[in-house]
Amino acid sequence: MAGGRTRKQGPGSASPVAETNPLLNGNGDTKFPVDSRKTPEPTENIFLFIPNLIGYSRIILAGASLYYMPLHPRTCSILYSISCLLDALDGFAARYYHQSTRFGAVLDMVTDRCTTACLLVFLSSAWPRWAILFQSLISLDLASHYMHMYATLAMGGTGQSHKKVDESRSWVLNLYYSNNKVLFLFCAFNELFFLALYLLCFSSPILSPSLLQPVNGAPGLTPQPGSPAHPSPSTLFASPWSPGALELARANKMDSFWPWVIAGVTFPVMAGKQFINVVQLVKAAKWLAEGDIEARRRERAAGKRLK
């Protein structure tokens, strides 16, 4: 029969049904058309991730606290404290929304370093006698974190976080970075100690002698901070932003009891934080030195092979 299937028709010959219905193959199974166009993957804007938005708000609050820092201790302390507390919130948001990024980690660390350094700079100007100590703390904080971050990227690879420290390298750093409660405690108490010192600038003349000296040795006319007999600041200083004028403006603005309590409670933890910075600096230097030794060994081995 002409319309029937003969033996000469191979197994790959299409049936009339398949010819009339292109969605059926020769076996009568459904055949789906292949779309050559690929759906583009959605692009993500890392800068608008929720943890990074929190990081931007920290910068704004820190900047506002610096504006109020010279003469408004309560407003400055509130803004600065909120900025520091948000440091814990952005880490939680990064884990909750699965938005942990290298940019966010660097933004967080840079914000921490800059805000602490700015506060210590103010303490250096408020208490010139202790300026060398505050300058040393700034240098230690910046150097230890920079070297630790650089060593992690150079030796551990670009995918390794600076918070992942092997216990065999340093159990102190491993405990510090792996336990969120320990990390928060040390960072919070460190900032609280410096905030307490900042508040003492407005309440306690014990830590630093006054920049204002008695006039001709007359005790009743001395322009010491808090003395009701001193002249108007405008008659004493050519510039209202001079160190003496600022000290006079800060004098006896608040009670010193609670700042002293906070400073006494947080001092041991602050000292421990500085010890961790020293350990971090030393371990990072040794890690980089080990990498240099290994690189020089490979260079010598490659030179011998070329000879």
Side-chain angles (χ1 to χ4, degrees):
M1 298 177 58
R5 188 170 185 173
T6 62
R7 294 181 179 178
K8 293 183 179 181
Q9 289 177 308
S13 300
S15 64
V17 178
E19 293 176 356
T20 57
N21 191 352
L23 295 181
L24 296 178
N25 57 20
N27 298 325
D29 298 327
T30 305
K31 180 175 62 177
F32 296 98
V34 178
D35 189 0
S36 59
R37 295 174 300 175
K38 294 182 179 179
T39 305
E41 296 183 1
T43 57
E44 294 181 307
N45 192 338
I46 301 296
F47 299 106
L48 296 181
F49 277 11
I50 294 177
N52 297 336
L53 294 178
I54 296 175
Y56 306 148
S57 66
R58 289 188 61 204
I59 297 175
I60 295 173
L61 289 170
S65 71
L66 297 180
Y67 174 80
Y68 289 105
M69 187 171 285
L71 296 173
H72 302 278
R74 294 175 179 84
T75 304
C76 171
S77 299
I78 292 173
L79 293 173
Y80 191 93
S81 299
I82 295 175
S83 176
C84 292
L85 289 174
L86 289 178
D87 185 21
L89 182 60
D90 63 0
F92 172 80
R95 293 185 296 269
Y96 184 82
Y97 292 104
H98 302 287
Q99 293 181 344
S100 299
T101 59
R102 283 176 292 207
F103 168 76
V106 174
L107 175 67
D108 181 64
M109 189 188 72
V110 170
T111 304
D112 291 339
R113 306 285 70 76
C114 291
T115 52
T116 304
C118 289
L119 179 56
L120 291 175
V121 166
F122 178 84
L123 294 179
S124 298
S125 64
W127 290 337
R129 170 186 283 185
W130 307 98
I132 185 64
L133 176 60
F134 296 125
Q135 292 164 352
S136 300
L137 292 176
I138 293 173
S139 301
L140 175 62
D141 190 46
L142 294 178
S144 66
H145 283 84
Y146 176 81
M147 287 195 66
H148 177 67
M149 177 71 77
Y150 188 88
T152 303
L153 294 176
M155 305 300 298
T158 57
Q160 182 172 339
S161 171
H162 69 282
K163 292 185 177 181
K164 293 183 179 179
V165 180
D166 190 77
E167 189 173 1
S168 60
R169 182 162 295 277
S170 173
W171 67 268
V172 174
L173 295 180
N174 177 267
L175 176 63
Y176 176 73
Y177 280 118
S178 62
N179 192 316
N180 292 331
K181 294 180 180 179
V182 173
L183 181 63
F184 177 80
L185 176 69
F186 273 88
C187 292
F189 275 41
N190 184 68
E191 298 298 332
L192 277 175
F193 176 79
F194 293 133
L195 270 181
L197 293 185
Y198 163 72
L199 294 176
L200 287 174
C201 295
F202 298 86
S203 57
S204 176
I206 299 176
L207 296 180
S208 181
S210 175
L211 295 175
L212 306 176
Q213 300 300 323
V215 178
N216 297 327
L221 299 177
T222 175
Q224 290 289 340
S227 173
H230 66 70
S232 172
S234 61
T235 64
L236 288 174
F237 308 103
S239 172
W241 296 101
S242 64
L246 289 176
E247 181 186 345
L248 184 62
R250 290 195 298 264
N252 297 330
K253 274 203 166 187
M254 57 190 306
D255 183 71
S256 63
F257 174 76
W258 285 112
W260 275 116
V261 171
I262 295 174
V265 171
T266 57
F267 174 77
V269 181
M270 184 280 303
K273 177 70 164 61
Q274 307 315 314
F275 172 75
I276 291 175
N277 283 342
V278 173
V279 173
Q280 183 170 253
L281 179 65
V282 173
K283 294 296 182 180
K286 289 184 176 180
W287 199 8
L288 289 173
E290 292 173 5
D292 290 335
I293 293 174
E294 179 62 23
R296 292 173 63 85
R297 185 192 64 79
R298 289 197 299 265
E299 289 178 0
R300 288 194 296 267
K304 291 180 179 179
R305 286 196 299 269
L306 291 177
K307 292 178 181 179

